[in-house]
Amino acid sequence: AQSVAQPEDQVNVAEGNPLTVKCTYSVSGNPYLFWYVQYPNRGLQFLLKYITGDNLVKGSYGFEAEFNKSQTSFHLKKPSALVSDSALYFCAVRDILESNDYKLSFGAGTTVTVRA
Amino acid sequence: DGGITQSPKYLFRKEGQNVTLSCEQNLNHDAMYWYRQDPGQGLRLIYYSQIVNDFQKGDIAEGYSVSREKKESFPLTVTSAQKNPTAFYLCASRPGQGGSYNEQFFGPGTRLTVL
């Protein structure tokens, strides 16, 4: 089974500083990787994905992620964090099911707090 | 939250009761999924369905049941056999083809609390 790990439960940064949320993956074959964000009592919102191609992926709300095959990482980054970026962030990997459909296997999530 | 609606937003259940969570999508997506979210554990797959009248168990299906009688609807029933049902439940869907094939789109969620 494919899996991802988010090594940090919490990340705290000051507004205007760079934000990094870490994710490492374990897969057989080529990984399909995703980042989602969740605000309190809301569903998940898609930020970006890596399927193939350029290792630097740009997504919504100024976020980007860098795919690093040698380090098996897919860290989410934002050059200048905003207070409104405070939320729960999930890294996920596509995992093929027996029926040939797929599910998303999620990390445990990282809570980001951006202080003014 | 796109074109996926879940109701109710909050649900309270007494011990021994079955409850049904609604999930409707108007995105014309083929596949639909139910995930359960617990603090510090990420999301876990309960059931999924690729087409109408067909569905499969996910990782934690015990104590749950689903139906897929219409393409746009995928209700989840939490039965009395589910030992610890208090959680946040998320419904998702994805298209059968196209550029967003690998993305799952999520509804706003239902928070279920057992009293």
Side-chain angles (χ1 to χ4, degrees):
Chain A
Q2 325 285 48
S3 65
V4 291
Q6 295 179 243
E8 299 165 318
D9 293 335
Q10 292 194 348
V11 170
N12 299 304
V13 298
E15 189 172 34
N17 281 2
L19 170 63
T20 298
V21 187
K22 295 180 180 178
C23 174
T24 59
Y25 65 87
S26 175
V27 303
S28 55
N30 295 319
Y32 287 31
L33 297 160
F34 305 82
W35 275 102
Y36 284 85
V37 60
Q38 185 181 36
Y39 297 96
N41 291 310
R42 301 288 300 276
L44 273 65
Q45 296 179 31
F46 171 80
L47 284 177
L48 50 81
K49 67 183 177 187
Y50 173 83
I51 305 296
T52 186
D54 199 349
N55 288 344
L56 185 63
V57 180
K58 294 191 181 296
S60 307
Y61 313 118
F63 283 95
E64 58 189 26
E66 185 171 9
F67 173 71
N68 188 316
K69 189 172 183 177
S70 63
Q71 297 186 3
T72 62
S73 67
F74 188 56
H75 301 333
L76 181 70
K77 300 180 181 183
K78 187 171 185 179
S80 178
L82 301 171
V83 172
S84 57
D85 293 328
S86 299
L88 181 59
Y89 290 80
F90 288 102
C91 181
V93 64
R94 193 184 79 162
D95 198 356
I96 302 296
L97 296 163
E98 287 184 1
S99 62
N100 212 33
D101 193 358
Y102 80 90
K103 67 174 182 179
L104 292 177
S105 292
F106 288 86
T110 298
T111 299
V112 170
T113 302
V114 182
R115 60 186 184 277
Chain B
D1 297 332
I4 303 176
T5 58
Q6 291 185 242
S7 61
K9 186 172 183 178
Y10 299 97
L11 186 57
F12 298 91
R13 192 193 90 171
K14 294 181 180 179
E15 294 274 356
Q17 276 186 335
N18 293 353
V19 292
T20 297
L21 283 59
S22 170
C23 177
E24 304 276 333
Q25 54 100 359
N26 62 4
L27 302 169
N28 199 32
H29 284 175
D30 294 303
M32 298 186 73
Y33 308 79
W34 275 104
Y35 291 90
R36 169 179 170 144
Q37 183 179 9
D38 295 282
Q41 292 192 45
L43 281 69
R44 293 178 290 169
L45 183 66
I46 305 173
Y47 267 97
Y48 64 101
S49 168
Q50 292 176 277
I51 56 173
V52 174
N53 293 323
D54 187 45
F55 48 83
Q56 285 80 37
K57 294 181 178 180
D59 299 318
I60 56 166
E62 185 175 353
Y64 300 98
S65 65
V66 293
S67 62
R68 187 87 187 275
E69 298 177 0
K70 298 185 297 183
K71 185 176 183 178
E72 58 270 23
S73 178
F74 191 41
L76 173 74
T77 296
V78 184
T79 75
S80 57
Q82 170 49 236
K83 300 303 181 189
N84 184 21
T86 295
F88 192 51
Y89 291 86
L90 288 159
C91 179
S93 68
R94 69 163 179 82
Q97 58 186 355
S100 297
Y101 173 79
N102 287 297
E103 294 173 32
Q104 291 190 7
F105 297 77
F106 285 82
T110 293
R111 186 165 296 283
L112 173 63
T113 303
V114 174
L115 302 174

